[in-house]
Structures are given as C-alpha cells and as structure tokens.
Amino acid sequence: MLPHHLQQLQIHCLRNLESISLTLSPGGNFFFGANGAGKTSVLEAVHFLSTGRSFRAGPARSLITHEREVCRVVGRVSMGSGLVVPLGIERQRDGVLAARVAGQSAGSLSLLAERLPVVVLDTETLSLVTGAPEGRRKFLDGTVFHVEQSFLDVWRRYQRALKQRNAGLRHGTLDSDSAWRDELVSAGEILTAARQKVVDALSDQLQVIIAELSPGLDAIALLLRQGWESGKTLTEALNQSLDSDQRQGFTQSGPHRADLRVLVAGRPAADVLSRGQLKVVVSALRLAQGRLVSAQNAAQPVYLIDDLVAELDADHANRVCEMLASSKAQVLMTAVEPNQLLNWWQGRDGKVFHVEQGKIFSDP
C-alpha cells in the first residue's frame, strides 16, 4: 500500500502559475527550470494548501497573480489506507480566505494541516537559527500541533487570555487582573509542558540525524527558554511584573516570549558554527521535525525542498536525499539543473517536471 501522499495538485492564479494540473509521484518529484520560472511557486502552493499561507516573506495577497482577484489550490490526498481526501483553499485579494475538506467548509485551517502536514527546507533556512524568536516559536508550535492533540485548544486559550489582558492593560480598564492571570497561568503551564516534551524529542532526533549527516558536528542540543525568568513559576513572574505590565501596556512574561535555542557544547550555534555548518544543522533540524511528526501522526509529512544545492554542499545534499528517500515520504524538490539532484536520488521512484515561464511539463 502506498504511503500517505498528495496525489494530485491543481493551481489557479498563484504567482505566475495561472492554470496548472499535476499528478504527483508518491516518492520524489523534481521541478527544474531557470530562476523565476515558477518552481518555488509549486512548493508555495502545497504549503498554502496545508497552512493557508506561503513560507516566503511578504503580504498574503502577493500570492495572487497580478491583476487577478483570487488564487486557488485544490489537492487530493491519499491517506495511505485507500481513503482519498480532497482539500481546497482560496484567497481573495480583499483578504477573504476559504477552505474545504472532503467537500465541506473547513471551520479551521488546522483541518488542512492535519491531513497534509508539510516540512519546508528553503533558502531562508538560516533564519531558524539566526532570525527572531517568533520564527522559532512558529516552528516549534507547528511541530507540537502534530504531536500533541490537545495543543491547539490550549494555544487558543492562552492567546485569547493574553489578548484580553493586554487590551485591559493598554486601556487601563483592569480593576482586578487576577482572573486573566489565572487563565494565563492555567493555559500557559500546559502549553509550556507540551513544548518542552517536543523539544526533548526533537533534540534526541537531531543528535541521531547529525551523527548520520555530519559526524564531525557533535554536542548539538536544543534548549527551550520558557518566556519568563528561570527558577520562578509563571504565577510568580506575572505577579512580579504586574506594575511594569501596567506601565508598558502589555504582558512581558509568558509562553508568548518563549524561544528555542540551538546549542553546540552549551553555546549558541550561531556564535560557534560557520555558515555552511549552520545550514547542515538546520537541515538536520527540519529532518528531525519530519521524523517526529511521522512517528506521532498517521499522516506522514510532505517535504518541500527548495534549491537544496544552494543550501548544502554536494556531499551533505547527497546525504539529505538518501535520508529522504529511505523515509518513504513524498518529496517535492526544486533545482536549476536536472543532474544536480537526479544522480543523488539514485534511480528511486520519482517524476521529473520542467518549469518554463509559469508552465509545467512532465517527462514521460
């Protein structure tokens, strides 16, 4: 029986892809063409179908083809048990977003992600280590979402309480802050415990993958900074910062300030490793994310790999391809030249697509 994978993909007016219909391999799918041809836009379309947004920076409306009013992506996902689930999503230029799962309106985009989890390795890879904490929180929470079933409800509880408390702090309308602080603590402690569990599991997977991918790198570990002073409870941190929160008009301590740090022998990886080594570590972290999601979730993730050659040297790119192929997961991968990747895939199941000015042609 074939593993979980995206069988078919239809793209309408996304970037320079005006009308595309693809039948995909459950193994490797390789998109080749000149820069600007539309290769990365195919990966964006799959990410949009999974999450409702692009993995690239920029306003959401930039996904829509110039002078068009709506972009739409439709897919058919094989769940690996003979069940095929249709998914669809569209965004209008005025910001309206609509999604459907199995022909029914989806009340939450999380329903898409549950059926089509994705793992991205792209040219912005290093920002996961060198960028702002917000990106690392999104990476971490996106992983926890697929591992802990109750996570989304708890995350929403925390965000709702944080929003209400911050509104009261900004407007000076909180006669008593205890109710919102109690809710922040209740949801925040569960949220942090779920994050810590996943960080521990990710760290274990990361060490295994690094040993295979780049044996010279060792003592790699992940650390969760919970978002408030170490050694204090969240209740103590919120009580201590109450006066300052009221002056500043927002909550300064809590899981919304958390950070995921990558350490080498106890020091920040960004301070110790070269740019090339950092790319290897982040690639390993993405692979660790995929392994963890696959182990905990009935739906194996689809890997979206954008220009692997630009990210890694030939030896490490070859090892990444070997790991991806041995995982039996579906892979969508881009490059400028076909022989940059096909030799590394070593004849395993796959399809080749040529992308030219927004048109996509499949090799027979």
Side-chain angles (χ1 to χ4, degrees):
M1 183 177 295
L2 292 174
H4 176 277
H5 67 284
L6 180 61
Q7 287 184 337
Q8 294 178 323
L9 182 67
Q10 295 178 1
I11 307 169
H12 174 76
C13 293
L14 187 145
R15 303 286 189 190
N16 67 337
L17 305 178
E18 292 215 38
S19 183
I20 299 295
S21 181
L22 302 175
T23 298
L24 300 173
S25 164
N29 296 272
F30 306 99
F31 296 85
F32 301 103
N35 291 329
K39 306 183 303 296
T40 301
S41 298
V42 178
L43 306 191
E44 281 189 283
V46 177
H47 195 273
F48 179 52
L49 184 60
S50 171
T51 66
R53 64 181 186 277
S54 171
F55 57 82
R56 300 166 78 182
R61 64 179 179 274
S62 66
L63 275 176
I64 304 172
T65 301
H66 182 60
E67 295 186 344
R68 303 298 187 189
E69 292 303 314
V70 62
C71 69
R72 182 182 306 109
V73 179
V74 177
R76 291 174 59 82
V77 179
S78 170
M79 303 304 292
S81 58
L83 175 65
V84 176
V85 178
L87 306 179
I89 187 166
E90 70 174 31
R91 176 178 290 279
Q92 298 180 22
R93 193 166 291 280
D94 62 7
V96 174
L97 189 67
R100 298 182 71 83
V101 175
Q104 302 295 317
S105 179
S108 169
L109 294 180
S110 64
L111 296 177
L112 297 175
E114 287 174 359
R115 288 157 180 80
L116 186 63
V118 294
V119 172
V120 180
L121 202 166
D122 71 332
T123 53
E124 298 299 318
T125 286
L126 287 187
S127 65
L128 190 56
V129 173
T130 61
E134 180 183 5
R136 289 186 287 275
R137 283 196 300 272
K138 287 182 177 179
F139 165 79
L140 176 57
D141 288 347
T143 309
V144 182
F145 167 78
H146 288 291
V147 175
E148 297 289 337
Q149 291 186 343
S150 62
F151 175 77
L152 184 59
D153 288 340
V154 174
W155 184 89
R156 285 171 172 165
R157 273 183 57 203
Y158 183 83
Q159 293 297 323
R160 184 166 54 248
L162 181 65
K163 181 179 179 180
Q164 294 290 341
R165 183 175 192 258
N166 283 348
L169 290 170
R170 283 195 306 273
H171 298 105
T173 58
L174 286 182
D175 295 331
S176 174
D177 184 45
S178 59
W180 291 123
R181 274 184 287 164
D182 289 347
E183 178 67 359
L184 282 175
V185 170
S186 175
E189 289 179 343
I190 299 172
L191 181 64
T192 300
R195 284 173 170 172
Q196 185 63 64
K197 181 179 178 181
V198 167
V199 168
D200 291 342
L202 272 175
S203 190
D204 290 343
Q205 288 283 359
L206 178 62
Q207 291 171 22
V208 171
I209 292 171
I210 282 290
E212 298 176 31
L213 188 59
S214 190
L217 288 174
D218 54 11
I220 302 284
L222 300 178
L223 173 69
L224 176 65
R225 290 189 172 177
Q226 59 190 4
W228 65 92
E229 186 178 345
S230 178
K232 294 184 181 295
T233 66
L234 182 51
T235 298
E236 291 171 339
L238 289 171
N239 288 340
Q240 180 177 331
S241 65
L242 177 58
D243 290 342
S244 179
D245 288 351
Q246 289 175 329
R247 290 193 301 271
Q248 298 292 331
F250 63 92
T251 304
Q252 299 172 82
S253 298
H256 60 288
R257 303 296 295 273
D259 195 5
L260 176 67
R261 306 307 299 272
V262 183
L263 304 178
V264 178
R267 297 176 61 192
D271 295 344
V272 176
L273 301 181
S274 69
R275 184 177 178 84
Q277 288 174 318
L278 285 173
K279 289 182 177 182
V280 172
V281 169
V282 177
S283 298
L285 185 55
R286 293 291 190 180
L287 292 171
Q289 178 190 31
R291 287 189 182 182
L292 188 60
V293 171
S294 180
Q296 300 293 328
N297 197 332
Q300 192 173 36
V302 175
Y303 290 85
L304 308 177
I305 315 294
D306 192 25
D307 203 0
L308 186 67
V309 177
E311 290 301 300
L312 301 173
D313 60 78
D315 180 55
H316 286 110
N318 183 37
R319 295 185 189 188
V320 168
C321 283
E322 289 177 353
M323 289 183 184
L324 291 170
S326 64
S327 74
K328 307 299 183 183
Q330 186 177 41
V331 177
L332 279 69
M333 190 178 299
T334 70
V336 174
E337 297 293 337
N339 54 0
Q340 288 179 310
L341 295 176
L342 293 182
N343 290 338
W344 296 335
W345 203 253
Q346 298 177 348
R348 297 178 176 94
D349 290 342
K351 293 186 71 171
V352 176
F353 300 89
H354 294 268
V355 187
E356 298 177 8
Q357 296 181 341
K359 306 295 184 183
I360 301 180
F361 307 93
S362 174
D363 278 5

